[in-house]
Amino acid sequence: MAESKVRKAAAKPAARATVRPRKPESHLAMVRRARRINRELAELYPYAHPELDFEDPFQLLVATVLSAQTTDLRVNQTTPALFAKYPTPEDMAAAVPEELEEIIRPTGFFRAKARSLIGLAGRLRDEFGGEVPGRLEDLVTLPGVGRKTANVVLGNAFGVPGITVDTHFGRLARRFGWTAEEEPEKVEAAVAEIFPKSEWTMLSHRVVFHGRRICHSRKPACGACPIAPLCPSYGEGETDAEKARKLLKYEMGGQPGQRLRPPADYPGEAAARADAAAHQGVVADLAVAE
């Protein structure tokens, strides 16, 4: 049921999305349009969620650090073996660097990431009682943790609203005309002024979902975008409806998402679980090797 709704939504804009000139927009008009985009994205992605598999704040923190310069799917394929060997900050803080590096090698930049993980785990053990702190000012003091990672953890593990400015969010914030800023912290500040704080975490998920599925970096699928009529950047990508639909990714294009253990209401759940089963043997092999 959910999957057919997604396919219907992806096909919907073909007749609606047309190129049209835009008049200069006041700040108030931009804010109203931005909030309407958020409402439309909420309808399009009612199941939007962090695409990293995790069971507690520590797992989410580690997975987010690993997600730099790689896909969430790659991280999700890597973390089961990682957390099987190092289930707690105390375990990870005592890790032999070369052994940790070998496990996280598939995520890239594995030496730097291993240093960050061992460092932050040691700080959690020594300064925070083995617990992940629930304050941004504490999180950003941990090795390898910046505002983006801190906001991911706060919003999804502690329920503290935060705007997560990754490459997708920054790109779409500029395409939507919410800001012209390039620096993540300035993008975060600009967007925070547009939306109520209660919306920040879910807004982040929705925008990132849209960036991964439809509004791609190199070739956005403008002709298959349900919010094209609200987008001042319509026309930067493929506007032909049929060609644009071929560019859709993940569940919008009939493929699984990045989680191997997705939420129950995620429309790509069945496909994702099948993918998880395919990788189960790899994880088992790693466990035996240990």
Side-chain angles (χ1 to χ4, degrees):
M1 189 73 174
E3 287 182 283
S4 61
K5 183 178 179 181
V6 168
R7 286 195 294 270
K8 188 181 295 183
K12 182 179 178 182
R16 296 170 52 197
T18 54
V19 178
R20 60 214 178 285
R22 283 186 175 271
K23 298 178 181 179
E25 185 177 47
S26 68
H27 178 73
L28 178 59
M30 182 275 289
V31 170
R32 287 174 173 168
R33 180 175 57 79
R35 294 184 177 185
R36 185 177 171 191
I37 286 175
N38 183 37
R39 293 194 296 272
E40 297 257 348
L41 291 178
E43 291 186 11
L44 185 61
Y45 307 111
Y47 47 85
H49 62 276
E51 294 195 89
L52 291 167
D53 289 328
F54 70 98
E55 296 178 357
D56 55 47
F58 176 61
Q59 289 191 2
L60 179 57
L61 176 61
V62 169
T64 307
V65 170
L66 289 177
S67 69
Q69 304 298 315
T70 191
T71 65
D72 286 356
L73 176 58
R74 178 66 67 186
V75 174
N76 292 337
Q77 292 168 344
T78 303
T79 50
L82 178 66
F83 294 133
K85 188 172 179 64
Y86 309 110
T88 68
E90 291 80 3
D91 295 320
M92 192 167 289
V96 176
E98 292 77 12
E99 294 179 0
L100 177 57
E101 289 172 5
E102 192 58 33
I103 294 176
I104 67 173
R105 180 185 290 268
T107 68
F109 302 96
F110 58 91
R111 291 190 179 89
K113 290 179 180 179
R115 286 195 298 272
S116 292
L117 294 184
I118 292 173
L120 73 83
R123 291 282 299 283
L124 293 180
R125 177 196 61 196
D126 299 337
E127 299 180 27
F128 297 100
E131 301 291 334
V132 175
R135 301 194 312 163
L136 186 142
E137 53 265 43
D138 291 329
L139 285 168
V140 295
T141 67
L142 300 174
V145 178
R147 287 186 66 89
K148 185 196 85 169
T149 295
N151 279 328
V152 169
V153 173
L154 289 174
N156 299 287
F158 294 100
V160 177
I163 296 173
T164 303
V165 183
D166 66 357
T167 56
H168 300 289
F169 192 98
R171 179 176 74 251
L172 268 63
R174 289 184 288 274
R175 282 182 178 169
F176 291 157
W178 297 350
T179 180
E181 299 290 352
E182 295 282 344
E183 296 180 22
E185 288 193 24
K186 292 183 178 180
V187 172
E188 180 185 343
V191 175
E193 294 182 357
I194 299 173
F195 297 93
K197 195 172 184 178
S198 60
E199 285 291 306
W200 289 356
T201 298
M202 288 308 302
L203 171 73
S204 299
H205 292 324
R206 294 164 189 154
V207 172
V208 171
F209 256 57
H210 196 61
R212 285 175 170 169
R213 286 150 177 78
I214 296 177
C215 195
H216 313 137
S217 177
R218 295 183 181 178
K219 203 168 186 180
C222 294
C225 179
I227 62 169
L230 298 170
C231 182
S233 300
Y234 174 79
E236 284 190 12
E238 180 58 66
T239 58
D240 179 83
E242 289 302 318
K243 292 180 180 179
R245 274 195 286 272
K246 294 178 181 178
L247 299 174
L248 299 180
K249 295 182 178 180
Y250 305 118
E251 75 280 4
M252 305 301 283
Q255 303 295 323
Q258 301 209 52
R259 292 194 75 160
L260 298 181
R261 291 179 287 124
D265 60 350
Y266 176 58
E269 178 185 13
R273 290 195 183 283
D275 192 33
H279 292 286
Q280 194 171 20
V282 175
V283 174
D285 290 343
L286 285 171
V288 170
E290 295 299 333

